[in-house]
Amino acid sequence: MSSDIMTSDIADQMVCREANIDDLDELVRIRMDYLRTEFTMDSIEEERLSESIRAYLAETINKTFFAYCAFADESIVSSVFLSISVRPPNPRYSNGMSGYISNVYTNPIYRRRGIAQDLMEQTIRKAEIIGLCSLELIASDMGRKLYEKIGFTDNNKNMRLMLSTKFNSSNLGNLLLNSTIFVDICRKM
């Protein structure tokens, strides 16, 4: 994280990294925190949704789903989720792989410190390594300026960032591995 963006005491207490299966409980919690800002749910709906989120994450984490998170005292305080989709290639999507960004969320007491931008940049680097052709998201009014600053452009209701990924031998291994993982997951569903 940029020390010029965040105060040093916050930066010293925070760890930003890719989440893994050991973070499952925290990922479910931060997802629910985000959803509560968008939807009104009763306790039964919340419990069912939490169970569904847990099952989805357990099956897909670090396969077709990635999360970059900021941790403070072992709790996630900010997150960016990346879900990969594969479709038949076309001229715009040469390998058919694209990503959907969701759950860009920062706990209110940690906002305006550059954390979401740092996590978005980490997520974009991951998307490029994997070989995704583009990233899409639905922008809230609060997040629109950040996404535009990073390079996303308006695409009706969604925003899109075209990545410079080209189908070549240097990323073929990542493309094949991730395509195989995606197909395996789909077979299990």
Side-chain angles (χ1 to χ4, degrees):
M1 252 176 282
S2 304
S3 59
D4 59 327
I5 295 174
M6 294 177 44
T7 61
S8 61
D9 60 330
I10 296 294
D12 292 341
Q13 299 169 15
M14 189 121 8
V15 174
C16 292
R17 63 172 172 80
E18 186 175 330
N20 59 56
I21 194 68
D22 296 332
D23 302 312
L24 191 58
D25 291 339
E26 278 297 300
L27 289 168
V28 171
R29 184 194 55 77
I30 198 78
R31 177 68 175 157
M32 292 303 298
D33 287 352
Y34 167 77
L35 291 174
R36 285 184 198 103
T37 68
E38 299 290 322
F39 301 96
T40 302
M41 299 174 280
D42 63 33
S43 60
I44 294 170
E45 287 173 309
E46 282 195 20
E47 186 175 328
R48 286 183 187 151
L49 189 54
S50 290
E51 290 172 16
S52 294
I53 292 167
R54 178 176 301 285
Y56 169 79
L57 294 175
E59 185 68 31
T60 62
I61 193 159
N62 297 332
K63 297 174 186 169
T64 59
F65 169 86
F66 299 88
Y68 281 88
C69 302
F71 292 81
D73 298 322
E74 299 186 25
S75 294
I76 296 175
V77 298
S78 186
S79 64
V80 175
F81 289 1
L82 169 63
S83 301
I84 299 171
S85 64
V86 180
R87 60 184 139 211
N90 65 46
R92 183 175 251 168
Y93 301 100
S94 61
N95 64 21
M97 293 175 57
S98 61
Y100 182 74
I101 301 279
S102 62
N103 221 91
V104 180
Y105 177 78
T106 301
N107 180 304
I109 65 170
Y110 290 92
R111 290 182 183 161
R112 310 310 266 171
R113 298 180 178 164
I115 301 169
Q117 179 172 341
D118 183 62
L119 295 176
M120 284 293 294
E121 289 169 355
Q122 289 182 47
T123 303
I124 291 167
R125 281 192 296 276
K126 180 68 169 192
E128 291 171 332
I129 290 168
I130 292 170
L132 303 185
C133 293
S134 71
L135 296 173
E136 292 189 7
L137 57 79
I138 297 175
S140 66
D141 291 338
M142 188 184 327
R144 184 168 295 279
K145 285 183 184 179
L146 168 63
Y147 307 136
E148 289 171 346
K149 179 180 177 181
I150 292 171
F152 282 80
T153 57
D154 270 321
N155 182 27
N156 295 324
K157 187 176 176 185
N158 295 343
M159 294 188 81
R160 177 178 292 144
L161 175 67
M162 296 303 294
L163 301 175
S164 60
T165 303
K166 301 287 184 228
F167 187 81
N168 61 48
S169 59
S170 67
N171 67 8
L172 182 59
N174 285 333
L175 297 175
L176 292 175
L177 174 64
N178 286 301
S179 296
T180 302
I181 290 169
F182 185 79
V183 169
D184 288 345
I185 289 170
C186 290
R187 284 184 186 143
K188 291 178 183 177
M189 294 180 151

